[in-house]
Amino acid sequence: MNGVAGRGVLLTGASGGIGQCLALRLAEAGATVYAVGRRADALHALAARARPGAIRPVVADLATADGIDAVRRAVAAAPIPVSLLILGAADSRFGLFEHSSVVDVQAQVATNLVAPMLLVRALLPCLVRLPEAGVVGIGSTFGSLGYPGFAAYSASKFGLRGFLEALAREHADTPLRVQYLSPRATRTALNSVAVDAMNAELGVAVDDADLVAASLLEAIESGTRRRQLGWPERLFARLNGALPELVDRALAKQLPIVRRFARAAAPVVSDTALESRP
Ligand SMILES: NC(=O)c1ccc[n+]([C@@H]2O[C@H](COP(=O)([O-])OP(=O)(O)OC[C@H]3O[C@@H](n4cnc5c(N)ncnc54)[C@H](OP(=O)(O)O)[C@@H]3O)[C@@H](O)[C@H]2O)c1
């Protein structure tokens, strides 16, 4: 049974564009959502839009050990036991890799890969004791094909996909269900103005966040192991696995446009300032 009604769901990235829509849909479907984010105001405003008690804010910075521990404690104290963990928090910083700072690289890998791994590690002992439990990773098309301008983000999402694949195989003979579900480009604050403009020039389809949330909930309830949303992204994700040279050629044609937007978006700062940029 994969339905969410009556279950406790821990959702990271709940204050984000897709996360807010997914939290509301989970609540509407009868789940109690423990909604994780850094912005308390956004989480409380979200909770006020659902039936009382359906969305419960958990304020935590997942890029820190304290944040991971705060989530672990919230789950341990949860009145409705958490049996579904949805890993949706992410950080994305568009730009040429040569312009990225140490902080840019560390923040994306910490939020998109290390935090999900540490959260699963912290919560797995509770999850495996339950008769039905699930872990859902929100991936990306860029977790299946590395995209120029998104090197660290792509690396983190490839890592998340590999981690969850191994975890699923480790639990192939247990009731724990592990899913990896990938949206394509979606209209949210994750994408900067430069990324939105680049997508428009490249003719990249950009989905509505609530429609993505609806597809994610449907995929969660269907129990599907992996799903890439959108066409032709589904084709390209598969093609990149089997025949990456073909995708190399397609993306080489897009490279001048990506470079132009990435260079325009790059901050003009010294090496020292780059290291300390937040
Ligand atoms: N938008 C797209 O084009 C797109 C495409 C493919 C995949 N996705 C994936 O879909 C998921 C949701 O993305 P979105 O577009 O909804 O992003 P978003 O609107 O930018 O929201 C990002 C969420 O992650 C949270 N977050 C970021 N860093 C965090 C940290 N250190 N600790 C705790 N929470 C943190 C944010 O919380 P606070 O703001 O409260 O800190 C926010 O709730 C992500 O996994 C993303 O990779 C998005």
Side-chain angles (χ1 to χ4, degrees):
M1 196 189 84
N2 308 305
V4 298
R7 295 175 71 179
V9 178
L10 186 89
L11 172 65
T12 73
S15 50
I18 296 172
Q20 291 196 26
C21 298
L22 185 55
L24 291 169
R25 284 184 173 273
L26 286 162
E28 205 173 293
T32 298
V33 183
Y34 298 95
V36 184
R38 287 171 300 189
R39 287 172 299 137
D41 52 346
L43 293 172
H44 286 286
L46 175 67
R49 293 168 61 196
R51 72 189 145 77
I55 296 181
R56 302 172 186 219
V58 179
V59 179
D61 182 347
L62 297 171
T64 66
D66 283 351
I68 300 286
D69 200 47
V71 175
R72 187 193 56 73
R73 281 186 275 109
V75 169
I80 313 286
V82 169
S83 66
L84 183 61
L85 167 57
I86 306 178
L87 304 160
D91 189 336
S92 175
R93 301 179 185 206
F94 171 64
L96 297 177
F97 194 65
E98 71 217 52
H99 294 152
S100 62
S101 69
V102 169
V103 172
D104 289 336
V105 175
Q106 285 174 337
Q108 290 174 94
V109 175
T111 308
N112 307 351
L113 177 59
V114 177
M117 293 176 73
L118 294 181
L119 268 184
V120 170
R121 183 182 167 279
L123 303 183
L124 207 48
C126 296
L127 292 176
V128 294
R129 280 202 294 271
L130 300 170
E132 59 164 342
V135 174
V136 179
I138 307 300
S140 165
T141 315
F142 298 168
S144 293
L145 57 97
Y147 201 87
F150 294 89
Y153 179 80
S154 297
S156 66
K157 291 291 186 177
F158 265 69
L160 180 67
R161 182 164 62 90
F163 165 60
L164 292 175
E165 186 167 274
L167 187 73
R169 291 173 178 168
E170 211 168 291
H171 285 271
D173 59 355
T174 82
L176 185 77
R177 188 179 298 275
V178 181
Q179 299 174 273
Y180 176 80
L181 309 175
S182 302
R184 64 176 177 181
T186 308
R187 212 165 297 108
T188 73
L190 190 73
N191 299 318
S192 61
V193 172
V195 172
D196 288 340
M198 183 178 72
N199 282 340
E201 184 162 334
L202 289 170
V204 170
V206 182
D207 288 333
D208 172 75
D210 192 44
L211 293 182
V212 170
S215 300
L216 292 174
L217 182 56
E218 189 278 316
I220 290 166
E221 297 206 302
S222 77
T224 185
R225 249 294 286 124
R226 312 170 167 88
R227 185 171 299 174
Q228 169 66 52
L229 304 183
W231 185 268
E233 287 78 0
R234 191 173 307 145
L235 171 67
F236 272 99
R238 287 196 171 243
L239 202 58
N240 198 71
L243 297 165
E245 318 70 50
L246 294 185
V247 182
D248 287 348
R249 265 177 249 147
L251 293 187
K253 291 189 191 130
Q254 298 187 349
L255 186 55
I257 296 177
V258 174
R259 282 217 178 102
R260 174 157 48 81
F261 280 99
R263 290 209 169 106
V268 183
V269 285
S270 69
D271 278 357
T272 329
L274 271 176
E275 297 319 310
S276 58
R277 218 169 79 218

